[in-house]
Amino acid sequence: MDKLLKLLFCCLLLTIGCSAQKVYYEAANLKLTERFVLDSLRTIDMQMLPSVEPANMTELSKGTPIMHKLWKVALSDIESNIVQTNNGRYFGAGKNFGLRIYTRDISFSGILGLNVLYPEEMLSSLKTSRDVRLKLGLRVAKDYLVPGIGGDWMEESFDEKTYLNKYNTNSYTRRTDDVVWLWATRDLFEKNENLAEWQWLYEVGKKCFDKLYSPFYDESDGLYRGQASFIDIHFEQSKATGYPQDFSIADCVSIKALSTNCLYYEGLQTMAMACRKTGRKTEGIEWEMRAKHLKNSILSNLRFKDGTFSYFKYMNGELESRRDALGSALAVITGIVKGKDAKVCLSDYPVTWAGVPLFHPFYPWAKSYHNNTSWPFVDTFFLWAKELAGHKSYASQNAALLARTCVKGGSFHEVVNWKTKEPGGSGRQLWSASAFVNVCLRAGLVDAE
């Protein structure tokens, strides 16, 4: 974010913080009080939440009893994901995912708040993800090579499941939003100058652009190809829910997605900053110009005439008629659109008692995981963007949406089924719990540098 956006956000935090000693929310089907959260499905009283004592001793300085308890649950959920393996120490993604390295889960969680509360663990996580990803490069499982995109591709003889078990991460074809780590690392260094390793960031970032990212750049429209961020592409034998069902695996990563291009914009800006920090002024200007060019390309190629943005651009140049919550939020948070344009970007996108639909409208097929769902961490990015665009707090609503996911043992869950409005998926989910940290930070409830 540029200096003006940061200033506006700081002013917003100060404004919210002055009146945020209590966090309440009440709407037709969702209510958050001092001691419980209620929706159309159930009531979760604070006594139903587990009593936990996380290792991180940071406390809320303000807030209601249930917020204090949810805070400890969130930190406990986060800490349950810290793993130590031969691949290094890093944050896992959730209790159902095992010892897997998910760069986007780590990175988005850092941006949401872990860079403030768990900086050393974040640095170790980001470094581990870089070691593994650069070692693998474009070595992919069988059927995951992408024709028409350059680079040093190498196709293994075994399937993706075997690849995942062997390397503890997915083929790059399933991780084409990998560039998010740059934004997360810059944010970490800006918040923790004592941990900043700008020379390392520059060197590794340059390797990633040369080896992984540059092949996905399309000079014809100035955009990067790649999956929409965190939206799983199709599998070898089955179709995922977030892309047209006639797409091949290669098609899913040949699109130009709004969310992923916003992440590239932040990545290019991060490289420019790393250059400035390491005395590479001339090269830094070149990275800044690349970022500016990408921003203009996003505005020219991914925006509808009404000022909202498309989910992605098809290979034939047409825009997908749907919008997506994360991409729209990132366009605002990264400063690609500001002021009135930011408000228009988010306009008429539904926000309901069960969250923010991941796509608007959903695809017509009945299957769900990304389609027909809302994701609590995406809800949080979207409501954060609405705060930046409208200078109005949505922290209480955001807290209520997250609190209602603390089902089945009282931990923050992965996803909400839009048909039933039932929270589910993995419990103790890293970025869902991190989203609650973000809410408390935005609302001025915690004293943390």
Side-chain angles (χ1 to χ4, degrees):
M1 292 186 288
D2 60 20
K3 292 182 179 179
L4 177 59
L5 195 58
K6 286 183 179 179
L7 178 61
L8 290 172
F9 186 46
C10 288
C11 292
L12 175 64
L13 285 178
L14 289 173
T15 302
I16 296 169
C18 291
S19 59
Q21 294 187 25
K22 305 293 183 182
V23 177
Y24 301 105
Y25 183 74
E26 185 165 2
N29 297 297
L30 183 63
K31 183 176 182 179
L32 178 65
T33 72
E34 285 198 357
R35 304 190 68 83
F36 65 84
V37 60
L38 176 151
D39 62 23
S40 292
L41 299 180
R42 63 177 57 82
T43 297
I44 301 176
D45 186 273
M46 63 178 291
Q47 299 303 321
M48 299 166 64
L49 299 171
S51 295
V52 292
E53 292 296 333
N56 190 309
M57 301 299 290
T58 305
E59 298 273 2
L60 295 188
S61 59
K62 306 168 187 174
T64 60
I66 193 172
M67 290 294 289
H68 281 270
K69 194 159 190 182
L70 286 165
W71 173 260
K72 289 191 173 186
V73 170
L75 298 191
S76 178
D77 284 359
I78 290 162
E79 291 172 5
S80 74
N81 284 287
I82 298 175
V83 295
Q84 179 73 51
T85 72
N86 292 333
N87 288 320
R89 181 181 169 139
Y90 57 90
F91 280 111
K95 71 178 184 181
N96 290 346
F97 291 93
L99 304 181
R100 309 297 191 201
I101 298 172
Y102 293 99
T103 298
R104 55 180 170 240
D105 297 64
I106 292 167
S107 301
F108 278 128
S109 296
I111 294 162
L112 285 169
L114 300 199
N115 284 344
V116 175
L117 293 184
Y118 297 92
E120 293 182 358
E121 290 83 355
M122 275 301 305
L123 181 57
S124 178
S125 297
L126 291 163
K127 284 191 169 185
T128 299
S129 82
R130 292 308 85 207
D131 290 344
V132 172
R133 182 50 62 196
L134 282 171
K135 181 179 179 181
L136 290 172
L138 296 179
R139 177 188 297 270
V140 297
K142 188 177 184 298
D143 298 328
Y144 280 86
L145 189 147
V146 185
I149 294 180
D152 297 327
W153 293 88
M154 181 180 294
E155 189 175 17
E156 298 276 22
S157 60
F158 45 77
D159 63 16
E160 181 67 10
K161 183 177 180 181
T162 303
Y163 187 102
L164 181 60
N165 289 333
K166 180 175 181 178
Y167 297 121
N168 283 330
T169 196
N170 289 103
S171 298
Y172 187 76
T173 314
R174 301 196 68 83
R175 295 291 176 263
T176 47
D177 58 348
D178 180 79
V179 70
V180 65
W181 79 273
L182 279 164
W183 179 17
T185 307
R186 187 188 82 218
D187 181 73
L188 174 67
F189 289 176
E190 288 176 328
K191 289 182 169 67
N192 304 274
E193 191 60 38
N194 62 311
L195 295 180
E197 299 181 28
W198 293 103
Q199 180 67 25
W200 171 83
L201 176 58
Y202 167 78
E203 291 175 358
V204 177
K206 197 169 187 306
K207 287 179 183 177
C208 286
F209 267 97
D210 291 343
K211 190 172 184 178
L212 301 174
Y213 308 152
S214 294
F216 285 81
Y217 181 69
D218 187 347
E219 291 184 358
S220 68
D221 59 8
L223 296 173
Y224 285 87
R225 301 179 182 92
Q227 70 193 95
S229 185
F230 103 95
I231 309 299
D232 291 332
I233 67 170
H234 296 327
F235 297 89
E236 303 97 314
Q237 304 299 326
S238 64
K239 298 292 186 178
T241 67
Y243 301 97
Q245 299 296 278
D246 61 349
F247 268 20
S248 66
I249 287 175
D251 289 339
C252 292
V253 298
S254 297
I255 60 171
K256 285 81 175 272
L258 172 63
S259 56
T260 298
N261 274 276
C262 289
L263 296 178
Y264 270 108
Y265 175 66
E266 285 296 299
L268 292 167
Q269 292 195 115
T270 297
M271 290 301 298
M273 177 174 285
C275 286
R276 292 193 297 271
K277 293 285 188 178
T278 57
R280 297 174 170 87
K281 183 177 180 181
T282 301
E283 185 179 349
I285 293 172
E286 295 173 358
W287 287 101
E288 287 177 353
M289 293 303 296
R290 289 172 66 177
K292 183 178 180 180
H293 180 66
L294 178 56
K295 176 180 177 179
N296 290 335
S297 296
I298 291 170
L299 293 172
S300 300
N301 292 283
L302 291 174
R303 187 159 55 167
F304 295 123
K305 290 181 179 179
D306 65 359
T308 62
F309 285 83
S310 170
Y311 172 30
F312 64 81
K313 182 180 180 181
Y314 283 90
M315 292 78 78
N316 64 6
E318 295 181 3
L319 290 182
E320 165 62 60
S321 60
R322 289 169 177 81
R323 299 160 67 189
D324 74 298
L326 183 59
S328 299
L330 293 180
V332 173
I333 292 171
T334 62
I336 288 173
V337 286
K338 305 173 185 177
K340 292 182 179 179
D341 288 341
K343 289 184 178 180
V344 171
C345 171
L346 304 177
S347 63
D348 300 323
Y349 204 102
V351 179
T352 79
W353 68 270
V356 182
L358 205 54
F359 310 130
H360 180 59
F362 286 125
Y363 284 104
W365 40 86
K367 294 188 298 181
S368 65
Y369 185 55
H370 292 103
N371 193 46
N372 296 315
T373 57
S374 59
W375 288 61
F377 93 95
V378 176
D379 295 349
T380 301
F381 272 108
F382 192 87
L383 292 173
W384 180 9
K386 282 179 69 71
E387 288 185 355
L388 292 172
H391 313 301
K392 174 185 176 182
S393 174
Y394 291 91
S396 296
Q397 181 180 15
N398 204 160
L401 287 172
L402 291 166
R404 72 173 294 270
T405 73
C406 289
V407 296
K408 302 174 183 177
S411 72
F412 289 90
H413 276 69
E414 175 186 26
V415 64
V416 174
N417 184 310
W418 197 255
K419 294 181 178 179
T420 64
K421 308 302 189 291
E422 186 70 55
S426 177
R428 313 196 84 173
Q429 189 75 12
L430 182 70
W431 53 21
S432 298
S434 301
F436 190 79
V437 170
N438 178 268
V439 169
C440 293
L441 291 171
R442 284 181 7 234
L445 299 181
V446 56
D447 294 328
E449 295 297 329

